[in-house]
């Protein structure tokens, strides 16, 4: 402290000040004392030694402080050159112009901005005279002379850069410490079309695309409820990916909404270039579980149906797939086609699909057990090949499984005009010639074909891949341990499903925990008017589906 602050009230004499070495901490012991000419005493302190491993943890770095918008256009240009790649990246543009006698600068990314909108705005500003602007020119631009709906004022340069990277345009005015951010974005996008994985015979033909605003508009068009809420967040340090959480405010569970938003806010990644798939792993953290714990859809009508049930939907910019939380194993068995037909036909389609999925799982292991053990049930004596062939049955099945996977991968990477030729090669050269050569048996090809058809009939592509791994695992267990291997493998499969959770919701609901009405809904596609209450899985605020 200053000696003048220690003056004695009576005599005004100065009391010697006591100083400590800068940087000393509480508890440091004095090692020596020095008396200055002014009568001050300076203590030289002996610092305590910190034990190894006992250092205080580093404080987490705080978010970058805002950078005020410079008043000089020259300083704005220098900042953009340093932070935004101006004059380095060819698509970063800073166009300096004069409107109404005031120097301005337009910061935009070439390719993102709508040329028509910017031309209209610049044409209007070019007609201004010096006497038409207020002393606060930026306020005049905002209120009177920029004919656009979405315009806001920004005072932080970092925020301006982020907005422009999303597709907006920024207008700076000389001698103003603020900027105008104008939403002129226009992304390259394809037209809406029916998703390849969720086709229906009757129904809408539109589907989600890679543009976030288009996707939320498709949902809003069908669900004209003022309680439908969209909250936009951001994840990825470098990609700054826009994520939209959608829900119906008076139906969705607020705790679930809060939990999902908190999880998204806690995502610490440098980017999400693969969009919803990387976000799913960050939210769910399922590790090595092969089963999908999140349901995806590219159909707006399916997403709207889940919103009305109390689900939370998550859009990720640059992806046409929308996540729906929570989801169970049986959500992945549903298809929109069941609800586009009459209840009876819809129930029949559902049962056929269930049979196909069961066949994709158990047809191969059960056929192998029947043939290998020789205990054929009555009426199934015809099962089994007359000649086993040169390769053991288990190896034949494994090779056919790998062959089908190779054909699937080849179909994905093969151009459409060549896909037919690839199918002929796979069917004739690989299938027919391999059977004639004695490598495979006709009955094995038949059983494998039935399992493959059941796999392709599974509505969820992710679930079909997981079921393929289960089928292959059961087949290997049967080949090594016989009937005991099948029982143990099936038990482990069921235990994995029971132990899995989709965002704190039981994956095997409504069987575990048991809900009789929900189980009935899985078996039968009930008429619309008979479904009077929402499912209990989502814990909706409003359980009633038919308001009086």
């Amino acid at each position: 402290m200053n000696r003048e602050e220690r003056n004695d009230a009576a005599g005004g004499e100065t009391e010697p000040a006591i100083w400590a070495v800068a940087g000393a901490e509480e508890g440091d012991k004095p090692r020596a004392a020095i008396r200055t000419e002014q009568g001050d005493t300076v203590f030289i302190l002996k610092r305590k030694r910190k034990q190894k491993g006992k250092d205080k943890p580093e404080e987490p770095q705080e978010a970058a402080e805002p950078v005020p918008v410079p008043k000089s256009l020259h300083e704005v240009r220098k900042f953009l050159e340093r932070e935004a790649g101006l004059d380095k990246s060819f698509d970063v543009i800073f166009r300096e112009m004069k409107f109404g006698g005031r120097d301005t600068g337009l910061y935009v990314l070439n390719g993102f901005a709508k040329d028509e909108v910017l031309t209209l705005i610049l044409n209007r500003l070019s007609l201004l005279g010096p006497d038409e602007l207020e002393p606060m020119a930026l306020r005049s631009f905002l209120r009177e002379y920029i004919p656009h709906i979405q315009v806001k004022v920004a005072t932080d340069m970092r925020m301006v850069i982020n907005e422009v990277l999303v597709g907006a345009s920024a207008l700076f005015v000389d001698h103003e410490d603020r900027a105008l951010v104008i939403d002129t974005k226009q992304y390259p996008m394809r037209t809406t079309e029916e998703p390849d994985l969720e086709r229906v015979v009757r129904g809408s033909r539109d589907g989600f695309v890679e543009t976030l605003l288009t996707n939320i508009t498709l949902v809003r068009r069908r669900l004209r409820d003022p309680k439908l809420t969209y909250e936009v967040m951001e994840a990825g340090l470098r990609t700054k990916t826009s994520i939209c959480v959608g829900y119906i405010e008076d139906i969705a569970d607020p705790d679930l909404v809060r939990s999902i938003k908190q999880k998204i806010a806690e995502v610490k990644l440098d980017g999400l270039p693969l969009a919803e798939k990387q976000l799913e792993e960050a939210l769910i953290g399922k590790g090595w579980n092969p089963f999908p714990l999140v349901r995806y859809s590219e159909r707006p009508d399916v997403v709207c149906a889940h919103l009305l049930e109390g689900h939370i939907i998550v859009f990720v910019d640059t992806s046409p797939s929308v996540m729906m939380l929570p989801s169970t194993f049986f959500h992945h068995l549903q298809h929109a086609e069941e609800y586009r037909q009459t209840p009876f036909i819809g129930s029949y389609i559902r049962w056929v699909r269930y049979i196909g999925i069961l066949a994709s799982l158990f047809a191969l292991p059960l056929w192998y057990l029947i043939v290998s053990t020789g205990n054929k049930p009555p009426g199934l004596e015809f099962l089994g090949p007359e000649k086993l062939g040169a390769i053991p049955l288990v190896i034949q099945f494994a090779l056919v499984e790998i062959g089908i996977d190779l054909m699937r991968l080849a179909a994905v990477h093969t151009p459409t005009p060549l896909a037919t030729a690839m199918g002929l090669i796979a069917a004739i050269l690989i299938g027919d010639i391999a059977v004639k050569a004695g490598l495979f048996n006709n009955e094995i090809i038949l059983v494998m074909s039935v399992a493959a058809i059941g796999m392709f009939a599974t509505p969820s592509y992710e679930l079909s891949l997981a079921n393929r791994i289960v089928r292959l695992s059961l087949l290997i267990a049967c080949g090594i341990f016989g009937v005991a291997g099948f029982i143990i493998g099936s038990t482990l499969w069921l235990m994995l499903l029971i132990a899995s959770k989709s965002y704190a919701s039981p994956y095997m609901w409504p069987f575990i925990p048991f809900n009789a009405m929900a189980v009935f809904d899985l078996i039968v596609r009930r008429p619309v008017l008979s479904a009077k209450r929402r499912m209990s899985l989502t814990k909706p605020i409003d359980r009633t589906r038919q308001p009086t």
Side-chain angles (χ1 to χ4, degrees), residues 25 258 280 302 323 339 349 370 395 428 443 523 548:
E25 298 179 355
R258 193 180 307 110
E280 176 198 342
V302 173
M323 289 192 291
Y339 298 90
I349 293 174
I370 292 174
I395 305 299
I428 298 176
E443 198 165 337
I523 300 173
T548 56

Side-chain angles (χ1 to χ4, degrees), residues 479-494:
I480 298 176
F481 302 106
V483 177
F486 178 80
I487 296 175
I488 294 174
S490 301
T491 303
L492 292 176
W493 169 65
L494 288 175

Side-chain angles (χ1 to χ4, degrees), residues 350-398:
R350 182 175 293 183
W351 297 340
V352 171
R353 180 173 292 111
Y354 288 167
I355 292 173
I357 294 172
L358 290 175
S360 69
L361 282 170
F362 301 114
L364 264 67
L366 290 177
W367 183 90
Y368 175 79
L369 286 178
I370 292 174
V371 171
S372 61
T373 58
N375 299 323
K376 301 179 181 180
L380 298 178
E381 292 83 1
F382 61 89
L383 290 179
E386 296 180 0
K387 296 181 180 180
L388 294 180
I391 302 176
L393 291 179
V394 176
I395 305 299
Q396 291 186 41
F397 278 128

